[in-house]
């Protein structure tokens, strides 16, 4: 008897359609994860094309085009890893959404890199390894190896959710490749000592400034009987300090060296600060009319200053850390005789590759580490986040003005440590808190007030100890790992191409 034909029932059809739908969902999920790397690859290709337009039919054009690709790749890694320190506090404090943070950071990173980033590029491109003592051909390969090593290490760290110092990575890579190429003699150890000392002192300075700012905010605003009136008086002052310092920095960066004496720059900053105070005061008065006398109301008043400080920090980061990507590229461009104005003066197209690369990396790969820095390392509200952001911004701005490639990661995390450890100290020693505990003890008829619950105290730590140890470990290994990797890459390149 012949077999009966299969009958496609409705139930069987539904199962088959469900399988097809499930397969389509899986394919979409896989493709969605490939969108960001694909767009990043497109940007690298555009960077190569952009460089090729400027160096077409010039000696060493192929080397420059390859270096432009590595610089674009490095810049994207900086945006994915390092920029999180700029807006993470604001996002963690819920002063702005993730989308707003990405847009603001991307815009101000480009502005900072193109307007004020040239000073630090000189340090990376010419001062760590003395370009005068190194043959131009070797200098180009040294910088190529440094770019590739630093970019690979930062990419790995980002994949591992570890916020590392991109400045550490590129400086260590330049040293490692330089020593493997020509030995330790051309390395400018005095400059290295200055940079290393800034890595140690800058997080301490940032932490002290942030702790001092939080102390002022607590003393002058939070613990006042009329919090809203105190905020109306002092928040415009904080806005004025931020605006005045930023304008003084801009004058120093954009004017020729020595054109304005320090007193003139100081007066310009004071003048802009006064104008900002006059503009901010009526805005704060209008915003505070309908607010209750509570700490939650202060978060509303600090929202706009926090957004402004995050924008300022993004500008300062762009000015300082663009050198990590375009400093080696600038040295390569001048080593083949294409650039003009000396090795310490990068062409505009070189700066643009670094500036837009940072923003592309931030937009494509930044959200994950922004959440880590803003929400998992510490618990922030707008007042604490403002202290962290403003302290970090001013420390980075001063370092960029002095031409020191400091680590924004070190400064930002140092500021968080400063705020966190100050909070812990203040929680234990604050007269206000001690009085509260005593009143609570008296209300329950207890002879001696008990110490705060140890679990509650630990829960209120601003800085989680596990993250503290992870960050310190990442800081320690970045320089030797990037240096060793750069040395190996240089020898491979030298064996294959030279």
């Amino acid at each position: 008897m012949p077999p009966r034909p299969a009958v496609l029932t409705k139930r069987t059809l539904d199962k088959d359609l469900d399988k097809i739908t499930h397969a389509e969902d899986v394919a979409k999920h896989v493709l969605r994860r490939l969108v960001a790397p694909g767009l990043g690859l497109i940007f690298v290709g555009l960077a190569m094309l952009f460089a090729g337009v400027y160096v077409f039919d010039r000696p060493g054009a192929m080397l420059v085009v390859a270096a432009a690709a590595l610089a674009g790749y490095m810049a994207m890694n900086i945006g994915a890893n390092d920029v999180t320190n700029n807006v993470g506090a604001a996002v963690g404090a819920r002063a702005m959404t993730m989308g707003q943070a990405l847009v603001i950071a991307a815009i101000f990173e480009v502005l900072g890199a193109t307007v004020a980033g040239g000073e630090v590029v000189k340090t990376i491109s010419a001062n760590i390894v003395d370009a005068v003592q190194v043959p131009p051909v070797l200098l180009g390969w040294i910088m190529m190896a440094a770019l590739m090593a630093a970019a690979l290490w930062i990419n790995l760290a980002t994949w591992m959710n570890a916020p590392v110092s991109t400045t550490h990575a590129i400086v260590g890579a330049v040293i490692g490749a330089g020593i493997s190429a020509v030995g330790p003699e051309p390395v400018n150890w005095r400059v290295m000592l200055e940079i290393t000392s800034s890595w140690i002192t800058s997080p301490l300075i940032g932490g002290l400034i942030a702790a001092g700012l939080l102390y002022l905010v607590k003393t002058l605003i939070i613990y006042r009987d009329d919090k809203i009136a105190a905020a109306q008086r002092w928040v415009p002052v904080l806005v004025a300090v931020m605006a005045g310092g930023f304008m003084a920095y801009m004058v120093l960066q954009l004017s020729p060296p020595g054109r304005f004496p320090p007193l003139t720059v100081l007066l310009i900053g004071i003048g802009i600060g006064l104008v900002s105070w006059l503009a901010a005061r009526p805005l704060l008065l209008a915003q505070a009319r309908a607010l209750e006398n509570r700490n939650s109301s202060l978060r509303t008043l600090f929202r706009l200053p926090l957004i402004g400080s995050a924008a300022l920090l993004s500008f300062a980061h762009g000015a300082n850390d663009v050198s990590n990507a375009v400093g080696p590229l600038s040295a390569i461009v001048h080593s083949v005789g294409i650039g003009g104005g000396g090795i310490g003066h990068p062409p505009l197209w070189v700066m643009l590759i670094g500036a837009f690369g940072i923003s592309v990396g931030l937009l494509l790969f930044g959200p994950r580490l922004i959440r880590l820095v803003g929400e998992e390392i510490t618990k922030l509200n707008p007042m604490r986040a403002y202290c962290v952001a403003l302290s970090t911004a001013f420390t980075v701005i001063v370092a960029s003005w002095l031409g020191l490639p400091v680590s924004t990661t070190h400064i930002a995390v140092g500021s968080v440590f400063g705020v966190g450890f100050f909070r812990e100290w203040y929680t234990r020693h604050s007269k206000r808190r001690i009085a509260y505990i005593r009143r609570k003890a008296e209300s329950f008829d207890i002879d001696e007030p008990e110490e705060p619950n140890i679990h509650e105290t630990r829960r209120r730590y601003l800085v989680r100890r596990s993250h503290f140890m992870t960050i310190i470990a990442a800081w320690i290994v970045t320089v030797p790992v990037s240096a060793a990797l750069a040395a190996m890459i240089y020898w491979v390149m030298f064996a294959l191409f030279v």
Side-chain angles (χ1 to χ4, degrees):
M1 185 174 182
R4 299 174 63 182
V7 179
L8 189 64
T9 64
K10 184 177 179 181
R11 184 175 181 183
T12 305
L13 182 61
D14 288 342
K15 287 183 177 180
D16 291 339
L17 290 175
D18 288 341
K19 291 178 181 178
I20 294 173
T21 303
H22 180 68
E24 289 178 348
D25 291 340
V26 171
K28 288 180 181 179
H29 179 71
V30 173
L31 290 175
R32 192 180 300 118
R33 297 185 66 179
L34 296 176
V35 169
L39 292 175
L41 191 61
I42 291 174
F43 172 77
V44 171
L46 291 175
M48 296 174 68
L49 234 121
F50 191 51
V53 170
Y54 283 91
V55 301
F56 177 72
D57 204 21
R58 300 286 297 273
M62 292 301 296
L63 180 64
V64 173
V65 170
L70 289 176
Y73 174 50
M74 175 68 176
M76 284 195 298
N77 281 293
I78 293 172
N81 192 291
D82 220 21
V83 182
T84 57
N85 303 301
N86 308 336
V87 295
V91 173
R94 294 177 175 81
M96 59 176 118
T97 64
M98 179 67 71
Q100 292 170 339
L102 292 174
V103 171
I104 289 174
I107 292 173
F108 281 90
E109 286 283 339
V110 172
L111 289 176
T114 54
V115 172
E119 183 66 29
V120 183
V121 173
K122 301 175 187 177
T123 303
I124 295 291
S125 61
N127 293 347
I128 296 176
V129 174
D130 191 353
V132 177
Q133 300 184 42
V134 180
V137 175
L138 286 183
L139 181 64
W141 289 110
I142 288 171
M143 293 301 175
M144 286 279 288
L147 271 175
M148 184 176 291
L152 288 174
W153 166 244
I154 298 167
N155 198 341
L156 177 62
T158 304
W159 179 72
M160 295 171 60
N161 281 340
V164 298
S165 168
T166 59
T167 308
H168 276 200
I170 192 63
V171 172
V174 170
I175 293 174
I179 292 177
S180 67
V182 292
E185 290 79 13
V187 176
N188 194 329
W189 296 109
R190 184 183 63 81
V191 173
M192 274 306 306
L193 181 61
E194 293 175 358
I195 295 173
T196 305
S197 64
S198 71
W199 289 342
I200 298 172
T201 58
S202 58
L204 296 177
I205 294 172
L208 290 174
I209 294 175
L213 287 171
L214 184 59
Y215 174 77
L216 290 177
V217 169
K218 284 181 175 291
T219 303
L220 300 177
I221 300 176
I222 295 177
Y223 288 154
R224 293 289 181 179
D225 293 333
D226 192 342
K227 305 174 189 297
I228 302 301
Q232 291 173 340
R233 184 183 306 113
W234 289 107
V235 172
V237 174
L238 294 174
V239 172
V241 171
M242 177 182 64
F246 178 71
M247 183 53 62
Y249 166 74
M250 290 293 293
V251 171
L252 287 169
Q253 284 294 108
L254 299 180
S255 61
R259 180 172 182 179
F260 295 104
L263 181 59
T264 303
V265 175
L266 179 62
L267 291 176
I268 292 174
I270 293 174
I272 296 298
L274 181 60
V275 172
S276 302
W277 178 79
L278 292 174
R281 187 170 173 78
L283 293 176
L284 265 295
L285 291 174
Q287 194 177 16
R289 284 173 185 168
L291 297 178
E292 299 179 3
N293 188 31
R294 302 171 60 184
N295 283 347
S296 58
S297 300
L298 296 179
R299 298 174 183 177
T300 303
L301 296 179
F302 268 88
R303 183 174 180 271
L304 286 179
L306 178 56
I307 293 174
S309 64
L312 172 58
L313 181 56
S314 296
F315 183 96
H317 178 271
N320 191 277
D321 278 30
V322 70
S323 62
N324 298 339
V326 303
L329 176 58
S330 176
I332 293 169
V333 168
H334 289 282
S335 70
V336 298
I338 294 176
I343 193 171
H345 298 81
L348 178 60
W349 66 268
V350 170
M351 299 297 297
L352 289 176
I353 289 176
F356 284 100
I358 289 176
S359 295
V360 169
L362 169 67
L363 294 172
L364 294 179
F365 307 105
R368 184 174 60 176
L369 279 184
I370 287 177
R371 294 188 185 95
L372 173 69
V373 172
E375 300 174 7
E376 297 180 23
I377 292 178
T378 180
K379 183 179 180 182
L380 294 172
N381 61 23
M383 289 83 79
R384 301 170 199 148
Y386 180 79
C387 296
V388 170
L390 186 57
S391 171
T392 307
F394 270 101
T395 308
V396 173
I397 282 173
V398 172
S400 181
W401 171 42
L402 296 175
L404 293 176
V406 296
S407 167
T408 52
T409 303
H410 280 201
I411 297 171
V413 176
S415 298
V416 172
F417 289 161
V419 167
F421 293 140
F422 172 77
R423 267 189 75 206
E424 293 171 9
W425 177 87
Y426 199 85
T427 298
R428 294 191 183 99
H429 300 89
S430 168
K431 294 180 180 179
R432 180 184 178 89
R433 182 172 176 81
I434 293 174
Y436 168 78
I437 295 173
R438 287 175 177 169
R439 287 197 302 271
K440 185 177 179 180
E442 290 173 359
S443 65
F444 286 96
D445 195 23
I446 299 175
D447 294 333
E448 293 293 334
E450 296 180 357
E451 291 294 322
N453 185 277
I454 187 66
H455 298 293
E456 174 67 13
T457 302
R458 288 180 178 174
R459 189 186 68 82
R460 291 176 60 85
Y461 281 162
L462 183 58
V463 181
R464 294 183 182 178
R465 268 47 177 180
S466 59
H467 288 298
F468 173 81
M469 298 306 298
T470 302
I471 291 169
I472 294 299
W475 288 0
I476 292 173
V477 303
T478 292
V479 171
V481 167
S482 58
L485 186 58
M488 290 187 292
I489 291 175
Y490 173 80
W491 282 114
V492 172
M493 285 183 172
F494 187 84
L496 293 176
F497 302 110
V498 180

